[in-house]
């Protein structure tokens, strides 16, 4: 992010206040049990997080006849930061004065940028090699995780932090505006077992954004673990959310063209003079960005259980109830391009969650 992300960020404004309430200490001693076993797996996926060592790239570049606005490299925080970095990219693209804007890439980053450009009255065409469900954005867990695998901890400068905070706040507010539209964006109780909470990048936190984490006493939870945290969090129902973004884009006159860019000359040949680059990991070869690498994440989808309305995280695996399945995940393998599910990874994550569930008091 660095210098690049600072551009235009000062115009981010949430317009609303953050969560400030005092959360009552509720007792949830009885929770329905999650049914987790290999024979309940209905699908497995491996997605490649577009991780960039110094965080998302958002600078503006002059390339031949084109003004290129970058917006890629969001690692494990792309859904969470998308509206905020999209706001910066859309502001920079609007500053070009062009009325027709090209966007490369139709993942969550391209779509949220496109919608914000449409709101500024621009005619937008998205050019993309692939669409849902064959893109990284379709393979995400879908939780509010704005600091997860977003950059190397030693690259967090005060400038980076300030811009991250602005994009995070902007996105957070955008998601609050989507609450109530079915179950696209919802709030959910999150139980964190063990020490996972301390492993998130502590330098990137906004006090008061989420309700504070509360350490529960043994009487307040059904788990046998000695350390249990409760913190409500936000989650996104990925298929329906990506569908809504795409439908909104098309309904507001947007066009989608299937096209793969293999060289910068092909980008230069586009009819639009201003191009927003939202191709995620694709920027590694097209823009020769060696800071970019995949961090793979494997998910197993289990048969949904309508009664499960909480999320559970352990140090080596988590489970999240989505409409399209109970999502088991929790791994992150750096520089791994292999998108074949690995049964060993499933075993590790399932064993971690099962250890907690099997010891739950009934
Ligand atoms: C397992 C997993 C779990 C995750 N969980 C979360 C989470 O809970 N919360 C969260 O905030 N984030 C999460 N993420 C991260 C998030 O999914 C990504 O940061 C985000 O999807 C990146 O979106 P994108 O639009 O940049 O990339 P993509 O979704 O990959 O979209 C890129 C687009 O560019 C196109 N493209 C690429 N190269 C070219 C080319 N050469 N020419 C033309 N088009 C091209 C593609 O076809 C595609 O349309 C998770 C990721 C994974 C893998």
């Amino acid at each position: 992010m660095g210098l690049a992300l600072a551009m235009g960020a000062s115009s981010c404004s949430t317009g609303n206040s953050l969560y400030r309430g005092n959360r009552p200490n509720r007792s949830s001693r009885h929770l329905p049990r999650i049914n987790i076993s290999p024979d309940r797996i209905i699908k497995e996926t491996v997605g490649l997080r577009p991780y960039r060592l110094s965080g998302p790239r958002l600078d503006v570049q002059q390339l031949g006849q084109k003004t290129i606005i970058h917006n890629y490299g969001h690692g494990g925080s792309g859904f969470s930061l998308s509206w905020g970095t999209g706001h910066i990219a859309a502001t920079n693209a609007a500053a070009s004065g062009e009325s027709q804007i090209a966007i490369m890439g139709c993942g969550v980053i391209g779509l949220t940028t496109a919608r914000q450009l449409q709101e500024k009255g621009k005619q937008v065409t998205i050019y993309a090699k692939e669409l849902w469900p064959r893109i990284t954005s379709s393979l995400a867990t879908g939780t509010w995780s704005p600091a997860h695998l977003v950059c190397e901890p030693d690259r967090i400068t005060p400038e980076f932090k300030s811009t991250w905070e602005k994009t995070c706040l902007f996105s957070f507010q955008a998601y609050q505006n989507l609450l109530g539209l079915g179950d696209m964006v919802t709030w959910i109780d999150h139980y964190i077992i063990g020490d996972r909470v301390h492993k998130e990048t502590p330098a990137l936190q906004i006090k008061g954004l989420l309700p504070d984490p509360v350490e529960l006493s043994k009487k307040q939870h059904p788990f046998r673990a000695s350390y249990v945290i409760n913190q409500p969090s936000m989650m996104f129902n990925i298929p329906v959310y990506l569908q809504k973004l795409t439908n909104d884009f098309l309904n507001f006159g947007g066009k989608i063209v299937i096209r793969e860019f293999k060289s910068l000359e092909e980008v230069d040949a586009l009819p639009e003079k201003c191009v927003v680059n939202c191709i995620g990991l694709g920027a590694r070869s097209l823009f020769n960005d060696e800071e970019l690498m995949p961090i793979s994440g494997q998910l197993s989808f289990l048969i949904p259980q309508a009664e499960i309305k909480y999320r559970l995280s352990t140090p080596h695996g988590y489970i999240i109830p989505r409409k399209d399945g109970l999502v088991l995940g929790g791994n992150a393998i750096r520089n791994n391009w292999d998108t074949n599910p690995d049964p060993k990874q499933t075993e590790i994550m399932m064993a971690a969650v099962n250890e907690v569930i099997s010891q739950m008091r009934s």
Side-chain angles (χ1 to χ4, degrees), residues 46-50 71-81 104-110 127-131 134-146 236 259-262 278-283 286 295-299 318 331:
V46 178
L48 305 181
R49 300 173 181 94
N71 186 11
Y72 69 85
H74 295 68
S77 63
F79 274 86
S80 312
L81 295 178
M104 295 158 60
C106 196
V108 69
I109 302 301
Y127 299 89
K129 181 172 70 168
E130 289 178 304
L131 310 176
R134 283 172 294 281
I135 54 173
T136 298
S137 298
S138 315
L139 307 174
T141 313
T143 55
W144 173 252
S145 59
F236 320 119
R259 183 179 302 177
E260 177 175 5
F261 297 94
K262 292 194 172 146
C278 306
I279 60 171
L281 210 46
L286 192 61
I295 298 187
S296 71
Q298 181 168 321
L299 302 178
Y318 59 72
N331 79 337

Side-chain angles (χ1 to χ4, degrees), residues 18-20 164-165 169 204-213:
L18 304 177
Y19 177 91
R20 297 260 179 249
W164 175 85
E165 280 176 7
L169 285 168
L204 296 177
Q205 274 176 18
I206 300 179
K207 187 90 183 121
L209 193 61
L210 299 184
D212 281 341

Side-chain angles (χ1 to χ4, degrees), residues 11-38:
S11 56
C12 288
S13 148
T14 66
N16 285 306
S17 61
L18 304 177
Y19 177 91
R20 297 260 179 249
N22 285 323
R23 189 149 49 95
N25 234 356
R26 286 169 311 142
S27 165
S28 293
R29 198 168 156 74
H30 303 290
L31 290 172
R33 193 182 289 261
I34 297 167
N35 196 348
I36 177 170
S37 60

Side-chain angles (χ1 to χ4, degrees), residues 4 7 52 57-72 89 92-93 96 104 264 267-268 273-277 283 286-289:
M7 294 184 62
R52 199 162 176 271
R57 182 174 179 195
L58 286 165
D59 61 327
V60 180
Q61 186 184 10
Q62 230 24 72
L63 190 84
Q65 303 300 309
K66 299 281 181 278
T67 302
I68 307 282
I69 317 284
H70 294 292
N71 186 11
Y72 69 85
N92 287 337
S96 72
M104 295 158 60
L264 293 180
V267 177
D268 205 25
K273 288 189 182 145
C274 179
V275 179
V276 189
N277 170 20
L286 192 61
F287 286 87
N288 202 18
D289 186 343

Side-chain angles (χ1 to χ4, degrees), residues 42 56 68 102 162 173 188 259 261 269:
I42 45 181
I68 307 282
S162 151
Q173 210 54 63
I188 184 168
R259 183 179 302 177
F261 297 94

